[in-house]
Amino acid sequence: MPLTIVQAGRRVRLVSVEAGYGLQGRLTAMGLIPGAEIKVLRNSIQGPFLIEVKGGRIMLGRGMAQKIMVE
């Protein structure tokens, strides 16, 4: 399922990133690799998407978050 449908406060595990090499490389550099645990801190209809990965906070655009598949 895409990360965008996960409610705030939930923890999920990254399965894959369905994007080109450029975006995959940027997300990998931020620690978003397969198997990484992600906590969704903010997911509202409007505005950016806020997550926590390895103790750090990352703000993503909604389009970017839509390409991150989690379980």
Side-chain angles (χ1 to χ4, degrees):
M1 69 181 152
L3 183 59
T4 52
I5 65 170
V6 178
Q7 296 178 347
R10 304 275 318 264
R11 290 184 184 271
V12 292
R13 189 165 306 278
L14 192 149
V15 175
S16 65
V17 176
E18 296 181 357
Y21 291 114
L23 180 56
Q24 285 187 21
R26 288 175 50 201
L27 294 175
T28 297
M30 292 189 278
L32 291 168
I33 57 174
E37 184 174 295
I38 299 170
K39 181 178 181 183
V40 177
L41 299 175
R42 180 179 175 197
N43 182 6
S44 59
I45 294 172
Q46 295 181 339
F49 202 90
L50 183 62
I51 60 173
E52 181 179 284
V53 178
K54 297 179 180 178
R57 292 181 174 197
I58 300 172
M59 191 167 287
L60 303 171
R62 185 157 296 279
M64 190 181 293
Q66 182 70 28
K67 296 175 181 173
I68 299 172
M69 297 296 127
V70 297
E71 61 180 8

